[in-house]
Amino acid sequence: MSEKVAVIEVPGGPEQLKIVDAQVGEPGPGEIRIRHAACGLNYIDVYHRNGAYPLPLPAALGMEGSGIVEAVGEGVTHLQPGDRAAYASAPPGAYATARVMPAKAVLKLPDGIDFETAAAMMIKGLTVQYLLRKTLPQGGLQPGDHVLFHAAAGGVGLIACQWARALGLQLIGTAGSDEKCALALEHGAAHAINYRRDTDFAARVREITGGRGVKVVYDSVGADTWEGSLNSLAPFGLLASFGGASGPVPPVNIGTLATKGSLYVTRPTLFTHIATREGAQAMGDELFAMVGSGQVRIRIDKRYALADVAQAHRDLEARQLTGSAVLLPPQG
């Protein structure tokens, strides 16, 4: 059957995104076919489009979505046709009306979570889960501990603010405007720093923490925040670099970690954490519970038709979006 799919033929700007007709067949062993109700929009999609994370070409884009399972392949037992489902999963291909994909990271969606919310939260929410619950400094995190979270008004950041509040953590968020700082505070951040005004955000972190610094920094910005992130850490602190929105981090002189207090650095990825079905299910269960309980609410800032995917990428790169955004494929 023919479906609408957003693809690139060469890496480049948003103008390279094109909607094409593609044949979607039956799922093979370990696969499902899902008809999308909504597709998530994430910065990793920009990296795939511009070639920072190269893909075999031509390439379909998109790493998360939600919808109805239409068919299951041999060996798939946790899903059945007709199930409501959601996923964050490789390979890319979520920008489509329907697709065939590996089933292991596709999760049955609880009835209380709607499709748009699910598509907006899977990558971002599972990212926050592995950061705050698994990517931890020496001795872990306890209620009252300070953590620094960059881009706190973005899709990942707003979920992190709420989840940190639920854990009793004192999250210090950074953002690029007073309005975004207010949004982070509204969603549970204990403190917010406008890094365009307070350019030495590490000094503000020291001020907030009585000179001690934080136990952990969660940094998706990369090049622009790297040095300040290191300077914000307490001795034995952990810098978790999980993205590079401003560009890749510079080469690391490992001796710097010694002089700044026996620091730790890690570069985790979501897809390592959800590599097994059991791991993906356990993480998804915790995310669904947080959202279902109301402790974490998913803010959808904007909705785009699938045909407007290029504009969605322009807005994403221009940092015009707070919260999450979704693409809505044509139905019927």
Side-chain angles (χ1 to χ4, degrees), residues 129-260:
Q129 195 278 342
Y130 87 71
L131 290 173
L132 294 183
R133 302 288 285 154
K134 296 184 175 185
T135 311
L136 302 174
Q138 270 196 355
L141 290 171
Q142 288 78 42
D145 284 343
H146 286 92
V147 304
L148 177 62
F149 208 102
H150 290 302
V156 174
L158 292 182
I159 296 173
C161 289
Q162 297 172 81
W163 206 317
R165 177 174 58 188
L167 294 172
L169 302 175
Q170 299 290 300
L171 184 143
I172 305 169
T174 69
S177 70
D178 288 343
E179 292 76 16
K180 289 184 176 181
C181 285
L183 193 60
L185 292 168
E186 177 187 327
H187 282 74
H191 306 272
I193 301 170
N194 182 342
Y195 61 79
R196 297 194 189 280
R197 185 177 60 243
D198 295 319
T199 53
D200 187 358
F201 64 82
R204 282 284 294 121
V205 169
R206 295 283 174 183
E207 180 182 337
I208 291 167
T209 60
R212 293 184 300 276
V214 296
K215 281 190 172 182
V216 59
V217 178
Y218 297 111
D219 190 340
S220 63
V221 177
D224 289 353
T225 50
W226 178 257
E227 191 66 27
S229 291
L230 289 175
N231 291 338
S232 298
L233 286 166
F236 308 108
L238 170 68
L239 172 47
S241 173
F242 68 101
S246 68
V249 301
V252 179
N253 178 349
I254 199 167
T256 301
L257 305 181
T259 60
K260 291 183 181 295

Side-chain angles (χ1 to χ4, degrees), residues 33-53:
R33 186 174 72 238
I34 185 170
R35 181 155 301 279
H36 289 131
C39 315
L41 187 70
N42 295 280
Y43 217 89
I44 192 173
D45 306 341
V46 173
Y47 298 148
H48 286 150
R49 191 207 70 227
N50 66 21
Y53 295 174

